[in-house]
Amino acid sequence: MKFHVINHNISVGYIKVIGITSSAVFLIGDTHYITASSIFDTPPEAVTFLPLVRL
């Protein structure tokens, strides 16, 4: 797949972010790479694993 982009000048005067989801990307301008990462902040003792049940 070929993807050709022609960038022009961009001017952003005002941005108001009210909320954002856990899997959102907010980007203005150019970038070469976007790397996804995650943080798991729940303590291990709070996670419960139930036995798998076949359906």
Side-chain angles (χ1 to χ4, degrees), residues 1-39:
M1 175 173 77
K2 288 187 176 185
F3 188 72
H4 182 72
V5 177
I6 299 174
N7 290 323
H8 298 281
N9 292 336
I10 185 170
S11 176
V12 179
Y14 178 76
I15 295 176
K16 181 178 181 180
V17 178
I18 297 185
I20 193 164
T21 65
S22 60
S23 62
V25 173
F26 183 78
L27 174 66
I28 296 176
D30 296 334
T31 185
H32 291 283
Y33 300 99
I34 296 177
T35 303
S37 64
S38 65
I39 298 173

